[in-house]
């Protein structure tokens, strides 16, 4: 089973997924029990399916993958500080599934709004807001834009 399509120009995706390791910091540092580790591993498997699936599916399905990443981020927000990585990856994937910059900005703003609403609804600390919104809004688009300059566009 291949993670990326044959002759894909998305080889960088294999390396960038290493940033997802931040989701594992809380379970390791907090000495999570077996039940918490089960859900952490479950979230990781679902994320990897969604992340690599983006490169195989249609644009409409890829949008669903991004929405599911945002939902994972909201679902894990109360229990794992690394849940912000779901929002960051959702924002970073936006340029690769749309054909115009305006559409990518719309997705980015939707991810930002979802992160802000999650922070507000769950009464999370400011660090969540800083990482989920700050990094999504700052670093993710910058990295994605530079990488998408050579990436093929979807039809």
């Amino acid at each position: 089973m291949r993670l990326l399509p044959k002759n894909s120009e998305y080889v960088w995706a294999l390396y960038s997924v290493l940033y997802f390791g931040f989701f594992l910091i809380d379970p390791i540092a907090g000495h999570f029990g077996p039940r918490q580790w089960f859900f952490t591993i479950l979230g990781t498997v679902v994320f990897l399916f969604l992340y690599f699936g983006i490169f195989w599916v249609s644009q409409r399905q890829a949008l669903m993958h991004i929405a599911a990443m945002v939902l994972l981020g909201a679902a894990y927000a109360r229990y794992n500080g690394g849940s912000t990585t779901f929002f960051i990856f959702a924002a970073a994937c936006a340029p690769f599934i749309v054909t115009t910059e305006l559409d990518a900005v719309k997705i980015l703003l939707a991810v930002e709004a979802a992160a802000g609403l999650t922070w507000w609804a769950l009464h999370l600390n400011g660090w969540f807001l800083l990482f989920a919104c700050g990094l999504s809004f700052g670093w993710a688009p910058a990295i994605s834009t530079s990488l998408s300059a050579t990436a093929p566009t979807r039809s």
Side-chain angles (χ1 to χ4, degrees):
M1 186 169 114
R2 299 180 59 87
L3 293 175
L4 297 170
K6 192 173 183 175
N7 300 326
S8 175
E9 295 196 26
Y10 297 119
V11 175
W12 55 264
L14 294 171
Y15 303 109
S16 67
V17 79
L18 294 175
Y19 287 108
F20 187 74
F22 287 104
F23 183 66
L24 303 175
I25 291 175
D26 266 4
I28 293 169
H31 305 289
F32 279 19
R35 183 171 188 256
Q36 293 164 310
W37 267 107
F38 170 78
F39 286 108
T40 299
I41 292 169
L42 179 65
T44 300
V45 169
V46 171
F47 166 77
L48 292 172
F49 170 79
L50 294 169
Y51 178 69
F52 286 111
I54 283 176
F55 303 104
W56 289 91
V57 300
S58 68
Q59 181 181 18
R60 172 175 250 180
Q61 291 171 318
L63 287 169
M64 301 264 201
H65 282 230
I66 286 185
M69 283 184 202
V70 169
L71 289 175
L72 279 173
Y76 281 90
R78 186 179 296 274
Y79 310 105
N80 186 329
S83 67
T84 57
T85 57
F86 292 115
F87 294 99
I88 295 166
F89 271 95
C93 289
F96 303 102
I97 65 166
V98 295
T99 54
T100 69
E101 291 176 2
L102 180 59
D103 288 340
V105 169
K106 288 177 187 176
I107 294 171
L108 174 63
L109 292 175
V111 170
E112 293 291 318
L117 286 172
T118 301
W119 169 77
W120 176 78
L122 298 178
H123 306 288
L124 300 171
N125 65 33
W127 289 109
F128 177 89
L129 194 61
L130 174 69
F131 288 116
C133 290
L135 294 181
S136 295
F137 195 72
W139 292 355
I143 293 167
S144 298
T145 302
S146 64
L147 291 173
S148 68
T150 58
T153 58
R154 286 186 185 257
S155 51

